[in-house]
Amino acid sequence: MSARKAGSRRRSTNDEVADIDEFVDVDGDTDGDRADRDATDGNNVGGDDSTGDDTAGDDTGGDTSDGASADSADPDDAPEDSSDDDERPRPLRRRRENPGARAAAPQAARSLNFSMSSVDVRGIVTTFRDGVKTLLGKPLTSFHMVLSLTVILTVLGLIMVLSASSVEGYAKDGSAYGMVTTQAIFAALGLLLFYGTLKVPIRFFRRFATVGIMVATLLLVLVLVPGIGVTVNGARRWFSIAGLSVQPSELVKVALCVWGAHLLASRRSVGTFGKELLLPLVPMGILICALIILEPNQSTTMIIALIIGALLWFAGLSGRVFGGFAIGFAVIAVALALSSSYRAARVFSFIGRTNDPLGDGYQATQAQYALANGGVFGVGLGRSTAKWNYLPNAHNDFIFAIIGEELGLIGALTVVALFILLGWVGMRIARRSIDPFLRLLSATITVLFLVQAFINIGYVIGLLPVTGIQLPILSNGGTSMLTMLTMLGLLATAARHEPDAVRALSAARPNGLARVLRLPVPEMYRPPRADQLRDRLDRRRSTQSDGRRPAAARARRPRPTSAAPRRTGSVSSGEIHYPGGRSGSARQSRRPQPESARRDQSWSPPSRGNRGRPRPEWPNGREYRRR
């Protein structure tokens, strides 16, 4: 019984070892140790090793039956042997496994690898690039980008005006929300004008462009009249209408852009000196600049000259003529800057001839202190210290310094990126437009935004002398907000008149923003009849200058009268029959010729046999179809 218990205990032990081996793979054993254990297990199958050896030694005859019977007949010795065998440590037996399954099983003895898998940077970049190309390839991408940038800049401008003007507004009027309320009213009016420009067709702007520039010039004259114009800090620049200040010099920017684009879009020949482009645009620009200088307002005068230069450049003015005008403009700007004491003080402070941080260079120095205080992440929105009467005009000319202090370097670079993106979208619209008016208008508006923004940012960070040019949309100024939003509306209108956008909006029912805003379907650009006739004349002149002989005029066949006899068997099909072609039932058999032979054919005089009735031939099939 003890032997049976020992055997059953050994079998249970082996089963437990086999179960453990199924989950734990012992790889530390070598092949030699595994063979020794197999041999040992084979010798221990019949009982104790010592008993087997003694029995084999006593039996000299080689018969093992006595030993076997002795083992079976001696039940008293079995418990001792089995107990000794149980107390002896036995090596673990491994369960035989399929070699294929063992090769496929994971090796648990290997060290765990916690390192991250390699990132496919090239695949990520390729996917991002393809996604951007797909997004930019949509027909209304330009319109949506202009609309998004308009909303972002308007909201950001109102927030920063509230933050920068709260202290000064409370000190003057007893309310921290007075200036931002006025700015919000002009922003609402500007958004209405933005929406109105999307509803009005293009021909409306061209029809009333001359009227607009005349009205804007008249307002510049009226603002100089004492009692009509309002004088602030020695400058008479504003009208006061129902408590709101209106600046005519800002309104003339929009009028000049529209009128200049309309005027130059109808000019076809530039000439050597660009006389067709210069007359009447430059005289009108000089008149407007003279009226603005009398206010005085040199910064707006520079912007007006910039608008005229952009219009002439994109209209195709010669580089030498344009360079001469640029040099003349620079000389006049320097002369105007040195003609006034406070302007000259700003220039000398920038150059470094006067080092007075509490005098002429006070604003520039305080603006740099504000930017340095902001650091990378800023001090937090509304927590600026420069706006507590340390930085004059913090809500107007130097609002970028408040942005850098409260939002840090990240916020300042974000504003710069927004204007760069706006410039890229504007040039994309100008490049895609086929209407010359929209092309000139969108390019000029884009240049105006970029130059005005970077001049303001330049003198805030100390790269340019202080000029007083505002940051578009972000600076406090009701009339500036009104005009800038109107210009963005014109830019969005040009985006909706791109050829791909017109096809997309005309192909299906309006949906999305067009359905919500109820915008009209834009019309495809068609050149005027005068331009079409001029194009035909230009093509004919270019054809004759190439040495090609014009095709002969087509002879007109007399109409058959009712009294004329008809040939029997002929059928009147109503076709148009050309000379030398196929007429009626009489079809001329003509051998097909290759395309190169037909292309090389030239006009030949009629043959001698048909001198009485000339028979013209066309140079090629294309000319035959066109005529």
Side-chain angles (χ1 to χ4, degrees), residues 143-218:
F143 172 71
H144 291 158
M145 292 182 71
V146 172
L147 190 62
S148 302
L149 289 173
T150 301
V151 174
I152 292 173
L153 290 175
T154 303
V155 174
L156 180 61
L158 292 176
I159 293 174
M160 296 312 303
V161 167
L162 173 62
S163 176
S165 65
S166 57
V167 176
E168 185 176 354
Y170 186 81
K172 289 183 178 181
D173 303 328
S175 174
Y177 305 98
M179 293 185 182
V180 71
T181 302
T182 305
Q183 187 76 358
I185 293 173
F186 278 100
L189 294 176
L191 292 176
L192 289 178
L193 290 177
F194 181 93
Y195 177 70
T197 54
L198 296 176
K199 298 282 288 185
V200 176
I202 297 298
R203 60 180 178 271
F204 175 83
F205 297 106
R206 303 196 64 173
R207 184 177 301 174
F208 293 96
T210 305
V211 178
I213 193 66
M214 293 177 63
V215 171
T217 307
L218 180 61

Side-chain angles (χ1 to χ4, degrees), residues 275-354:
K275 181 179 179 181
E276 293 81 1
L277 301 179
L278 300 178
L279 292 178
L281 178 63
V282 174
M284 179 59 72
I286 293 175
L287 176 61
I288 292 173
C289 291
L291 293 174
I292 295 176
I293 288 174
L294 294 177
E295 294 181 356
N297 191 353
Q298 184 186 0
S299 58
T300 307
T301 305
M302 296 172 58
I303 296 301
I304 296 299
L306 175 67
I307 292 174
I308 297 174
L311 287 170
L312 293 175
W313 175 261
F314 290 113
L317 186 65
S318 174
R320 292 179 295 179
V321 179
F322 187 84
F325 274 100
I327 294 174
F329 169 72
V331 172
I332 294 174
V334 172
L336 291 175
L338 299 178
S339 62
S340 179
S341 60
Y342 73 94
R343 297 188 196 126
R346 289 178 178 179
V347 174
F348 291 148
S349 175
F350 172 74
I351 295 174
R353 293 186 59 181
T354 57

